[in-house]
Amino acid sequence: QVLDSDGNIVGFDADMLVELEKYMNEDGGNYDLQFRQMEFNAILSQLPAKQLDMAISGFTYDEERKVAWSDPYTATAQVAVMPKDTEITSVDDLKGKTIAAQTASTEIEDANVQSISDVKVIFSGLASGQYDAAVVDLAVAKNYVDSGDYVMLDETLMDEKNYIITYEGNDELLEK
């Protein structure tokens, strides 16, 4: 999640939830969506235990996750981002490199892929030379590339769709 200077969660997902709450409350609904920032893995353990009602955080479909899936709300991709002075110009150039990845499913031939959930940690390591590249969601990549300090490959490593998730059996909320 991205936080503004006041510590508020901001970005596409947060904006979408604000609009979703308005939609859900049309026709007399009484939904009050509250944001909670937490680690990705904590979401996946708390949701099935019904400690959360729903989650949105760039979730891509995984049949092993014991959750209920919305229809996809956006298409995205996993892309590679490097410091602007990189010599990496293609996906093939990532072979044998040290890569920080937001998703554990990232596979690059002969690369040392380190799964790190916190984007700030990924880009801090990338900036300090700890990693040759980072593999992140396209929207996250564009945000960092826009800073002028990074470049990204035009090729994608994986095309994906994002979903809202809820616990299994929460059909009323899932329908909304």
Side-chain angles (χ1 to χ4, degrees):
Q1 300 290 343
V2 178
L3 302 178
D4 67 11
S5 60
D6 294 326
N8 298 311
I9 298 171
V10 296
F12 178 82
D13 288 344
D15 292 346
M16 189 176 79
L17 278 181
V18 169
E19 294 304 313
L20 182 60
E21 181 180 58
K22 291 175 188 176
Y23 170 77
M24 292 170 66
N25 285 325
E26 289 177 0
D27 302 325
N30 191 26
Y31 291 92
D32 180 23
L33 302 180
Q34 302 293 317
F35 294 108
R36 284 193 200 163
Q37 181 182 14
M38 58 182 56
E39 291 291 321
F40 197 79
N41 289 333
I43 294 169
L44 294 174
S45 65
Q46 290 186 19
L47 197 61
K50 300 181 182 177
Q51 295 172 332
L52 303 171
D53 293 308
M54 70 178 182
I56 180 169
S57 184
F59 288 102
T60 55
Y61 185 78
D62 181 343
E63 65 184 31
E64 294 184 19
R65 292 186 181 145
K66 301 301 178 202
V67 297
W69 300 88
S70 71
D71 292 332
Y73 64 88
T74 189
T76 188
Q78 292 293 314
V79 295
V81 177
M82 292 75 51
K84 66 181 177 184
D85 61 350
T86 188
E87 294 181 12
I88 296 171
T89 59
S90 71
V91 171
D92 283 343
D93 292 341
L94 296 173
K95 293 177 183 174
K97 302 293 186 196
T98 301
I99 312 291
Q102 217 176 348
T103 173
S105 64
T106 299
E107 294 181 22
I108 299 169
E109 186 178 332
D110 296 326
N112 174 14
V113 178
Q114 311 222 347
S115 181
I116 302 167
S117 61
D118 188 328
V119 173
K120 291 178 185 173
V121 172
I122 289 173
F123 279 91
S124 174
L126 188 60
S128 70
Q130 187 176 357
Y131 310 110
D132 298 304
V135 176
V136 295
D137 183 82
L138 180 60
V140 172
K142 285 181 178 180
N143 187 45
Y144 280 91
V145 168
D146 286 349
S147 74
D149 296 327
Y150 302 95
V151 295
M152 74 178 178
L153 297 179
D154 292 333
E155 302 168 77
T156 64
L157 288 120
M158 182 186 323
D159 292 320
E160 303 174 320
K161 293 180 181 173
N162 289 339
Y163 300 79
I164 296 173
I165 58 175
T166 186
Y167 53 83
E168 291 178 327
N170 194 0
D171 298 335
E172 180 183 336
L173 185 59
L174 186 61
E175 180 63 30
K176 284 283 190 182

